[in-house]
Amino acid sequence: MLKYCAKRALSMLLTLFLIATATFFLMRAIPGGPFTRERALPPEVEKVLMEKYNLDAPLLVQYKDYMVDLLHGDLGPSFQKVGVRVSDMIAAGFPISAKVGGVASLMIIAVGIPLGIWAALKKNTLPDYVVSVLATVGITVPSFVIGAFIMYVFGELLGWIPAGGLEDWRGYIGPVLAIGGFSLAFVTRLMRSSMLEVTGQDYIRTARAGGLPGYKIVFKHALKNALIPVVTYIGPMVASILTGSFVVEKIFAIPGMGKYFVESITNRDYTVIMGTTLFFAAIYVVMVFLVDIAYALIDPRIKLED
């Protein structure tokens, strides 16, 4: 196990290095720059700014300096927010996005998996049809539509939730449902289809023929195998949800990470784009690693290669 973890750690570091390198050169390949405006800056002002942020140096020199800073944990300064560093922006926005995303992830897992199991066990009955219809609607309706609907009906008309912000627990209801709606519906459908596939296999029929109680068949034999595809989806999903959603955060006035990423692209703020991209990639590769560990915990037959 330790040897496997060491190999995966090296693999993750290599992945992050390649992502940082690709993002750096792709940003420089985009026409324009961080100081490009509809109304052009005076040449002398732009020259001073380019010198200040070392953007007038050769591209390979900029790359070397960026990677050296990155090795020291420095993501660099924002080119648009004077005196603000990218690490400070992430430190300010990520905890807020992570709180909402964490609650949404717990909701998805706690509701989606049992609901999918229940629908599979009630196949071709009214509960199954209701769950399937609701899950289909949840998959097809975009998060910004769900967010706008919740805000208008439950915020503006009924006043049950705050108009914005996360001042109390009620403030989490809207953004959690908006961010987690699609994934909740998808996990429910995936869990249902996976459970139906597993319960139709020969070893489950043999267990039934042997007179095992239904709950033992479901929770001891079927559930472990049925969870594998669900866990595969949940890992990357959590990484995506934890880093926030610009649209949902905008609707509910949440100062999370989503706005920084979108604003940085609009403003061509190189360091913020690279920093947020690398941060998301780091969370993603860690979650994929945890998914691999979860495989072995769920099904002891799955062995992690040393």
Side-chain angles (χ1 to χ4, degrees), residues 228-287:
I228 297 297
V230 178
V231 170
T232 302
Y233 171 78
I234 285 177
M237 174 210 77
V238 171
S240 177
I241 290 178
L242 287 180
T243 51
S245 166
F246 170 74
V247 175
V248 173
E249 290 178 357
K250 190 75 172 176
I251 292 173
F252 293 96
I254 299 172
M257 269 193 68
K259 67 173 183 176
Y260 293 134
F261 188 69
V262 174
E263 289 175 357
S264 66
I265 295 175
T266 304
N267 298 326
R268 296 185 180 88
D269 199 341
Y270 294 157
T271 50
V272 180
I273 295 174
M274 292 185 292
T276 52
T277 300
L278 195 59
F279 184 75
F280 170 75
I283 295 177
Y284 187 91
V285 296
V286 168
M287 291 308 304

Side-chain angles (χ1 to χ4, degrees), residues 4-62:
Y4 172 81
C5 291
K7 286 182 177 179
R8 285 301 302 269
L10 290 175
S11 174
M12 289 188 288
L13 289 175
L14 178 60
T15 300
L16 294 177
F17 168 75
L18 293 175
I19 290 173
T21 299
T23 307
F24 178 90
F25 286 107
L26 286 173
M27 288 300 98
R28 267 53 178 190
I30 297 175
F35 307 117
T36 302
R37 301 286 188 275
E38 291 184 8
R39 293 186 59 183
L41 293 172
E44 58 274 12
V45 174
E46 185 170 354
K47 181 181 178 182
V48 170
L49 289 172
M50 296 290 283
E51 290 177 352
K52 176 182 178 181
Y53 294 108
N54 200 34
L55 295 175
D56 58 341
L59 189 59
L60 291 179
V61 174
Q62 294 183 46

Side-chain angles (χ1 to χ4, degrees), residues 7-140:
K7 286 182 177 179
R8 285 301 302 269
L10 290 175
S11 174
M12 289 188 288
L13 289 175
L14 178 60
T15 300
L16 294 177
F17 168 75
L18 293 175
I19 290 173
T21 299
T23 307
F24 178 90
F25 286 107
L26 286 173
M27 288 300 98
R28 267 53 178 190
I30 297 175
F35 307 117
T36 302
R37 301 286 188 275
E38 291 184 8
R39 293 186 59 183
L41 293 172
E44 58 274 12
V45 174
E46 185 170 354
K47 181 181 178 182
V48 170
L49 289 172
M50 296 290 283
E51 290 177 352
K52 176 182 178 181
Y53 294 108
N54 200 34
L55 295 175
D56 58 341
L59 189 59
L60 291 179
V61 174
Q62 294 183 46
Y63 172 71
K64 177 186 71 68
D65 292 342
Y66 178 75
M67 295 306 292
V68 169
D69 290 340
L70 193 60
L71 288 173
H72 290 86
D74 185 4
L75 297 174
S78 169
F79 294 154
Q80 302 297 329
K81 300 179 183 293
V82 180
V84 178
R85 305 197 70 78
V86 177
S87 54
D88 296 332
M89 297 170 70
I90 294 175
F94 177 67
I96 299 172
S97 295
K99 285 180 183 178
V100 177
V103 175
S105 298
L106 290 175
M107 176 196 72
I108 293 165
I109 295 170
V111 177
I113 292 177
L115 207 57
I117 296 171
W118 184 53
L121 297 178
K122 299 292 184 179
K123 181 184 176 183
N124 295 331
T125 63
L126 181 60
D128 180 31
Y129 296 142
V130 172
V131 171
S132 297
V133 169
L134 291 177
T136 302
V137 172
I139 290 174
T140 55

